[in-house]
Amino acid sequence: MRKKRFVVPSICFAVVLSAAALFGISASAAQTASESAGGSWWDDVKAQFVLNFVKKDRWRSLLEGLGNTLKITFFAALLGVVIGIIIAAIRTTFDNNKENMKHSKSFGYYVLGFFNAICKVYLTIIRGTPVVVQLLIIYFIIFASSTKDILIASLAFGINSGAYVAEILRGGIMSIDKGQFEAGRSLGFNYVQTMVYIIIPQVLKNVLPTLLNEFIALLKETSVAGYVGVVDLTRAGNAIRGATFSAFMPLIAVALIYLAIVMLLTWLVGIIERRLRKNER
């Protein structure tokens, strides 16, 4: 109960502290400039705020960029989960049944082994190359003629996230005691029914916090979407900087928005983890 009481105050304190740092540093810089010009430092801070956010409705650029960032993150997370589930299912099925299938020399052993090899190649390539390079390859080579920037960015980040989600799910499945599989078989379930009704519910309970943390990392990784012309939150802040020649306020505003979203998601992850621990008791 004590932890719950301090969650919201901690968030508020962090936001206030960040805002104070923003205006404190702005005020310090503005005061130095105003002392030479003979003006009020607070007037300079307000003038910078108006220049960066109010004039020409530049705040709308940040709002649009935030919307695009959330869209990319959402669709990439969905795609990553789908890819992760498929790859984790193939790899764990092959690992758990390869000995039996190998001795029986069934056709399924070679088919499943082929797809397992493809999954390993996919995981090696995706986890071994930077997400920026993958984004550039997908945008400028694979979909060079397409103009749907957000869709392409979602696809690129989804493919990248799928590799990490797959390993998270595979690790969760392999961590389940083999006696659980034997219990399912003793109840008359086949392998698929055992996975659906016995294994998967336990896996989701174990890996859900890790998956949510992966989605938080995905949100921050989308900040490189501007490399292919997507007007995400980071690119919107940088565009304001280029128009006003004032770097501090727009970039710090972008950082604070990311920080606020990540803090909210982290808070939700904490709530889910506590509820899962209660259910275990």
PDB file of all heavy atoms in Angstrom, residues 6 18 36 38 66 106 111 114 120 125 127 170-171 176 181 192 201 211-212 217 229 255 263-264 269 280:
ATOM      1  N   PHE A   6       2.986   6.417  -3.081  1.00  0.00           N
ATOM      2  CA  PHE A   6       4.090   7.268  -3.526  1.00  0.00           C
ATOM      3  C   PHE A   6       4.282   7.251  -5.030  1.00  0.00           C
ATOM      4  O   PHE A   6       5.149   7.939  -5.546  1.00  0.00           O
ATOM      5  CB  PHE A   6       5.395   6.842  -2.841  1.00  0.00           C
ATOM      6  CG  PHE A   6       5.435   7.175  -1.373  1.00  0.00           C
ATOM      7  CD1 PHE A   6       5.241   6.176  -0.428  1.00  0.00           C
ATOM      8  CD2 PHE A   6       5.646   8.472  -0.952  1.00  0.00           C
ATOM      9  CE1 PHE A   6       5.281   6.472   0.918  1.00  0.00           C
ATOM     10  CE2 PHE A   6       5.676   8.772   0.394  1.00  0.00           C
ATOM     11  CZ  PHE A   6       5.489   7.776   1.335  1.00  0.00           C
ATOM     12  N   SER A  18      11.631  18.290 -13.734  1.00  0.00           N
ATOM     13  CA  SER A  18      12.080  18.461 -15.117  1.00  0.00           C
ATOM     14  C   SER A  18      11.684  19.828 -15.645  1.00  0.00           C
ATOM     15  O   SER A  18      12.475  20.500 -16.318  1.00  0.00           O
ATOM     16  CB  SER A  18      11.477  17.363 -15.995  1.00  0.00           C
ATOM     17  OG  SER A  18      11.859  16.093 -15.542  1.00  0.00           O
ATOM     18  N   SER A  36      23.155  41.992 -20.830  1.00  0.00           N
ATOM     19  CA  SER A  36      23.884  42.802 -21.803  1.00  0.00           C
ATOM     20  C   SER A  36      22.947  43.699 -22.600  1.00  0.00           C
ATOM     21  O   SER A  36      23.334  44.763 -23.067  1.00  0.00           O
ATOM     22  CB  SER A  36      24.669  41.892 -22.752  1.00  0.00           C
ATOM     23  OG  SER A  36      23.777  41.030 -23.426  1.00  0.00           O
ATOM     24  N   GLY A  38      19.964  44.789 -21.326  1.00  0.00           N
ATOM     25  CA  GLY A  38      19.239  45.656 -20.405  1.00  0.00           C
ATOM     26  C   GLY A  38      17.781  45.297 -20.243  1.00  0.00           C
ATOM     27  O   GLY A  38      17.005  46.074 -19.700  1.00  0.00           O
ATOM     28  N   LEU A  66       3.916  13.671 -32.160  1.00  0.00           N
ATOM     29  CA  LEU A  66       3.561  12.744 -31.095  1.00  0.00           C
ATOM     30  C   LEU A  66       2.554  11.713 -31.583  1.00  0.00           C
ATOM     31  O   LEU A  66       2.672  10.515 -31.279  1.00  0.00           O
ATOM     32  CB  LEU A  66       2.994  13.519 -29.902  1.00  0.00           C
ATOM     33  CG  LEU A  66       2.464  12.679 -28.732  1.00  0.00           C
ATOM     34  CD1 LEU A  66       3.566  11.812 -28.145  1.00  0.00           C
ATOM     35  CD2 LEU A  66       1.853  13.578 -27.658  1.00  0.00           C
ATOM     36  N   SER A 106      10.009 -38.674 -39.428  1.00  0.00           N
ATOM     37  CA  SER A 106       8.778 -38.164 -40.025  1.00  0.00           C
ATOM     38  C   SER A 106       9.069 -36.990 -40.940  1.00  0.00           C
ATOM     39  O   SER A 106      10.101 -36.311 -40.811  1.00  0.00           O
ATOM     40  CB  SER A 106       7.796 -37.737 -38.936  1.00  0.00           C
ATOM     41  OG  SER A 106       8.333 -36.675 -38.174  1.00  0.00           O
ATOM     42  N   VAL A 111      10.386 -30.494 -42.298  1.00  0.00           N
ATOM     43  CA  VAL A 111       9.664 -29.238 -42.529  1.00  0.00           C
ATOM     44  C   VAL A 111       9.885 -28.279 -41.372  1.00  0.00           C
ATOM     45  O   VAL A 111      10.216 -27.094 -41.565  1.00  0.00           O
ATOM     46  CB  VAL A 111       8.156 -29.512 -42.724  1.00  0.00           C
ATOM     47  CG1 VAL A 111       7.391 -28.190 -42.812  1.00  0.00           C
ATOM     48  CG2 VAL A 111       7.924 -30.349 -43.961  1.00  0.00           C
ATOM     49  N   PHE A 114      13.401 -26.968 -41.283  1.00  0.00           N
ATOM     50  CA  PHE A 114      13.628 -25.927 -42.290  1.00  0.00           C
ATOM     51  C   PHE A 114      13.155 -24.574 -41.783  1.00  0.00           C
ATOM     52  O   PHE A 114      13.883 -23.574 -41.864  1.00  0.00           O
ATOM     53  CB  PHE A 114      12.904 -26.301 -43.578  1.00  0.00           C
ATOM     54  CG  PHE A 114      12.915 -25.228 -44.620  1.00  0.00           C
ATOM     55  CD1 PHE A 114      14.069 -24.939 -45.341  1.00  0.00           C
ATOM     56  CD2 PHE A 114      11.774 -24.467 -44.856  1.00  0.00           C
ATOM     57  CE1 PHE A 114      14.081 -23.934 -46.303  1.00  0.00           C
ATOM     58  CE2 PHE A 114      11.777 -23.457 -45.809  1.00  0.00           C
ATOM     59  CZ  PHE A 114      12.929 -23.187 -46.529  1.00  0.00           C
ATOM     60  N   LYS A 120      16.153 -18.891 -37.177  1.00  0.00           N
ATOM     61  CA  LYS A 120      17.470 -18.590 -36.616  1.00  0.00           C
ATOM     62  C   LYS A 120      18.202 -17.544 -37.451  1.00  0.00           C
ATOM     63  O   LYS A 120      18.855 -16.646 -36.909  1.00  0.00           O
ATOM     64  CB  LYS A 120      18.303 -19.868 -36.526  1.00  0.00           C
ATOM     65  CG  LYS A 120      17.901 -20.792 -35.393  1.00  0.00           C
ATOM     66  CD  LYS A 120      18.857 -21.979 -35.294  1.00  0.00           C
ATOM     67  CE  LYS A 120      18.526 -22.858 -34.108  1.00  0.00           C
ATOM     68  NZ  LYS A 120      19.465 -24.004 -33.997  1.00  0.00           N
ATOM     69  N   ILE A 125      20.159 -11.972 -38.083  1.00  0.00           N
ATOM     70  CA  ILE A 125      20.276 -10.750 -38.879  1.00  0.00           C
ATOM     71  C   ILE A 125      19.664  -9.556 -38.148  1.00  0.00           C
ATOM     72  O   ILE A 125      20.276  -8.488 -38.063  1.00  0.00           O
ATOM     73  CB  ILE A 125      19.597 -10.940 -40.249  1.00  0.00           C
ATOM     74  CG1 ILE A 125      20.366 -11.982 -41.074  1.00  0.00           C
ATOM     75  CG2 ILE A 125      19.532  -9.613 -41.006  1.00  0.00           C
ATOM     76  CD1 ILE A 125      19.696 -12.321 -42.393  1.00  0.00           C
ATOM     77  N   ARG A 127      18.896  -9.086 -34.897  1.00  0.00           N
ATOM     78  CA  ARG A 127      19.551  -8.703 -33.646  1.00  0.00           C
ATOM     79  C   ARG A 127      21.006  -8.307 -33.842  1.00  0.00           C
ATOM     80  O   ARG A 127      21.610  -7.706 -32.954  1.00  0.00           O
ATOM     81  CB  ARG A 127      19.472  -9.853 -32.634  1.00  0.00           C
ATOM     82  CG  ARG A 127      18.048 -10.145 -32.175  1.00  0.00           C
ATOM     83  CD  ARG A 127      18.025 -11.047 -30.966  1.00  0.00           C
ATOM     84  NE  ARG A 127      18.625 -12.341 -31.263  1.00  0.00           N
ATOM     85  CZ  ARG A 127      18.987 -13.219 -30.329  1.00  0.00           C
ATOM     86  NH1 ARG A 127      18.826 -12.927 -29.052  1.00  0.00           N
ATOM     87  NH2 ARG A 127      19.513 -14.384 -30.672  1.00  0.00           N
ATOM     88  N   ARG A 170      10.107 -17.346 -26.194  1.00  0.00           N
ATOM     89  CA  ARG A 170      10.777 -18.652 -26.215  1.00  0.00           C
ATOM     90  C   ARG A 170      11.416 -18.956 -24.858  1.00  0.00           C
ATOM     91  O   ARG A 170      11.326 -20.078 -24.351  1.00  0.00           O
ATOM     92  CB  ARG A 170      11.831 -18.700 -27.315  1.00  0.00           C
ATOM     93  CG  ARG A 170      12.424 -20.084 -27.541  1.00  0.00           C
ATOM     94  CD  ARG A 170      13.467 -20.055 -28.637  1.00  0.00           C
ATOM     95  NE  ARG A 170      14.688 -19.424 -28.187  1.00  0.00           N
ATOM     96  CZ  ARG A 170      15.693 -20.072 -27.583  1.00  0.00           C
ATOM     97  NH1 ARG A 170      15.606 -21.376 -27.365  1.00  0.00           N
ATOM     98  NH2 ARG A 170      16.773 -19.432 -27.215  1.00  0.00           N
ATOM     99  N   GLY A 171      12.056 -17.934 -24.282  1.00  0.00           N
ATOM    100  CA  GLY A 171      12.640 -18.135 -22.963  1.00  0.00           C
ATOM    101  C   GLY A 171      11.578 -18.455 -21.915  1.00  0.00           C
ATOM    102  O   GLY A 171      11.796 -19.278 -21.024  1.00  0.00           O
ATOM    103  N   ILE A 176       9.260 -23.193 -18.453  1.00  0.00           N
ATOM    104  CA  ILE A 176       8.200 -24.000 -17.848  1.00  0.00           C
ATOM    105  C   ILE A 176       8.700 -25.437 -17.683  1.00  0.00           C
ATOM    106  O   ILE A 176       9.289 -26.018 -18.592  1.00  0.00           O
ATOM    107  CB  ILE A 176       6.924 -23.987 -18.725  1.00  0.00           C
ATOM    108  CG1 ILE A 176       6.428 -22.541 -18.899  1.00  0.00           C
ATOM    109  CG2 ILE A 176       5.840 -24.843 -18.108  1.00  0.00           C
ATOM    110  CD1 ILE A 176       6.033 -21.854 -17.638  1.00  0.00           C
ATOM    111  N   PHE A 181       4.135 -30.253 -19.456  1.00  0.00           N
ATOM    112  CA  PHE A 181       3.792 -30.869 -20.739  1.00  0.00           C
ATOM    113  C   PHE A 181       3.288 -32.301 -20.526  1.00  0.00           C
ATOM    114  O   PHE A 181       2.311 -32.730 -21.143  1.00  0.00           O
ATOM    115  CB  PHE A 181       5.018 -30.895 -21.667  1.00  0.00           C
ATOM    116  CG  PHE A 181       5.445 -29.546 -22.150  1.00  0.00           C
ATOM    117  CD1 PHE A 181       6.408 -28.812 -21.468  1.00  0.00           C
ATOM    118  CD2 PHE A 181       4.900 -28.995 -23.303  1.00  0.00           C
ATOM    119  CE1 PHE A 181       6.811 -27.561 -21.921  1.00  0.00           C
ATOM    120  CE2 PHE A 181       5.297 -27.745 -23.759  1.00  0.00           C
ATOM    121  CZ  PHE A 181       6.250 -27.020 -23.067  1.00  0.00           C
ATOM    122  N   VAL A 192      -0.598 -29.150 -29.165  1.00  0.00           N
ATOM    123  CA  VAL A 192      -1.181 -27.813 -29.344  1.00  0.00           C
ATOM    124  C   VAL A 192      -2.128 -27.478 -28.201  1.00  0.00           C
ATOM    125  O   VAL A 192      -2.091 -26.366 -27.649  1.00  0.00           O
ATOM    126  CB  VAL A 192      -1.923 -27.735 -30.703  1.00  0.00           C
ATOM    127  CG1 VAL A 192      -2.629 -26.388 -30.839  1.00  0.00           C
ATOM    128  CG2 VAL A 192      -0.955 -27.952 -31.847  1.00  0.00           C
ATOM    129  N   PRO A 201      -0.814 -19.738 -20.762  1.00  0.00           N
ATOM    130  CA  PRO A 201      -1.222 -18.867 -19.643  1.00  0.00           C
ATOM    131  C   PRO A 201      -0.105 -18.626 -18.628  1.00  0.00           C
ATOM    132  O   PRO A 201       0.047 -17.508 -18.117  1.00  0.00           O
ATOM    133  CB  PRO A 201      -2.394 -19.642 -19.019  1.00  0.00           C
ATOM    134  CG  PRO A 201      -2.951 -20.450 -20.145  1.00  0.00           C
ATOM    135  CD  PRO A 201      -1.768 -20.857 -20.946  1.00  0.00           C
ATOM    136  N   LEU A 211       7.784  -8.072 -21.613  1.00  0.00           N
ATOM    137  CA  LEU A 211       7.222  -7.625 -22.883  1.00  0.00           C
ATOM    138  C   LEU A 211       6.875  -6.147 -22.841  1.00  0.00           C
ATOM    139  O   LEU A 211       7.136  -5.402 -23.792  1.00  0.00           O
ATOM    140  CB  LEU A 211       5.967  -8.436 -23.217  1.00  0.00           C
ATOM    141  CG  LEU A 211       6.170  -9.807 -23.863  1.00  0.00           C
ATOM    142  CD1 LEU A 211       4.823 -10.489 -24.068  1.00  0.00           C
ATOM    143  CD2 LEU A 211       6.925  -9.696 -25.173  1.00  0.00           C
ATOM    144  N   LEU A 212       6.294  -5.703 -21.755  1.00  0.00           N
ATOM    145  CA  LEU A 212       5.929  -4.291 -21.633  1.00  0.00           C
ATOM    146  C   LEU A 212       7.177  -3.414 -21.630  1.00  0.00           C
ATOM    147  O   LEU A 212       7.175  -2.317 -22.207  1.00  0.00           O
ATOM    148  CB  LEU A 212       5.110  -4.066 -20.364  1.00  0.00           C
ATOM    149  CG  LEU A 212       3.714  -4.717 -20.367  1.00  0.00           C
ATOM    150  CD1 LEU A 212       3.038  -4.525 -19.010  1.00  0.00           C
ATOM    151  CD2 LEU A 212       2.846  -4.139 -21.465  1.00  0.00           C
ATOM    152  N   ALA A 217      10.978   0.278 -24.739  1.00  0.00           N
ATOM    153  CA  ALA A 217      12.192   0.462 -25.549  1.00  0.00           C
ATOM    154  C   ALA A 217      11.830   0.734 -27.007  1.00  0.00           C
ATOM    155  O   ALA A 217      12.483   1.549 -27.679  1.00  0.00           O
ATOM    156  CB  ALA A 217      13.081  -0.774 -25.445  1.00  0.00           C
ATOM    157  N   GLY A 229      12.253  10.482 -43.306  1.00  0.00           N
ATOM    158  CA  GLY A 229      11.313  11.557 -43.589  1.00  0.00           C
ATOM    159  C   GLY A 229      10.019  11.522 -42.816  1.00  0.00           C
ATOM    160  O   GLY A 229       9.128  12.349 -43.056  1.00  0.00           O
ATOM    161  N   ALA A 255      12.171  15.858 -25.196  1.00  0.00           N
ATOM    162  CA  ALA A 255      12.672  14.946 -24.166  1.00  0.00           C
ATOM    163  C   ALA A 255      11.664  14.778 -23.032  1.00  0.00           C
ATOM    164  O   ALA A 255      11.447  13.667 -22.532  1.00  0.00           O
ATOM    165  CB  ALA A 255      14.003  15.456 -23.624  1.00  0.00           C
ATOM    166  N   MET A 263       7.378   7.290 -18.292  1.00  0.00           N
ATOM    167  CA  MET A 263       7.030   7.206 -16.867  1.00  0.00           C
ATOM    168  C   MET A 263       5.629   6.635 -16.685  1.00  0.00           C
ATOM    169  O   MET A 263       5.387   5.826 -15.780  1.00  0.00           O
ATOM    170  CB  MET A 263       7.127   8.591 -16.230  1.00  0.00           C
ATOM    171  CG  MET A 263       8.547   9.098 -16.063  1.00  0.00           C
ATOM    172  SD  MET A 263       8.611  10.805 -15.485  1.00  0.00           S
ATOM    173  CE  MET A 263       7.859  10.631 -13.884  1.00  0.00           C
ATOM    174  N   LEU A 264       4.708   7.036 -17.556  1.00  0.00           N
ATOM    175  CA  LEU A 264       3.347   6.498 -17.479  1.00  0.00           C
ATOM    176  C   LEU A 264       3.349   4.997 -17.750  1.00  0.00           C
ATOM    177  O   LEU A 264       2.710   4.218 -17.015  1.00  0.00           O
ATOM    178  CB  LEU A 264       2.449   7.220 -18.482  1.00  0.00           C
ATOM    179  CG  LEU A 264       1.000   6.712 -18.582  1.00  0.00           C
ATOM    180  CD1 LEU A 264       0.283   6.858 -17.248  1.00  0.00           C
ATOM    181  CD2 LEU A 264       0.244   7.450 -19.680  1.00  0.00           C
ATOM    182  N   VAL A 269       3.398  -0.744 -15.874  1.00  0.00           N
ATOM    183  CA  VAL A 269       4.124  -2.004 -15.727  1.00  0.00           C
ATOM    184  C   VAL A 269       4.245  -2.375 -14.259  1.00  0.00           C
ATOM    185  O   VAL A 269       4.068  -3.542 -13.876  1.00  0.00           O
ATOM    186  CB  VAL A 269       5.518  -1.911 -16.380  1.00  0.00           C
ATOM    187  CG1 VAL A 269       6.367  -3.131 -16.016  1.00  0.00           C
ATOM    188  CG2 VAL A 269       5.389  -1.791 -17.887  1.00  0.00           C
ATOM    189  N   GLU A 280       0.007 -14.762  -7.531  1.00  0.00           N
ATOM    190  CA  GLU A 280       0.845 -15.907  -7.216  1.00  0.00           C
ATOM    191  C   GLU A 280       0.650 -16.360  -5.775  1.00  0.00           C
ATOM    192  O   GLU A 280       0.787 -17.536  -5.455  1.00  0.00           O
ATOM    193  CB  GLU A 280       2.310 -15.574  -7.469  1.00  0.00           C
ATOM    194  CG  GLU A 280       2.663 -15.420  -8.941  1.00  0.00           C
ATOM    195  CD  GLU A 280       4.108 -15.014  -9.154  1.00  0.00           C
ATOM    196  OE1 GLU A 280       4.782 -14.785  -8.136  1.00  0.00           O
ATOM    197  OE2 GLU A 280       4.527 -14.923 -10.319  1.00  0.00           O
TER     198      GLU A 280
END
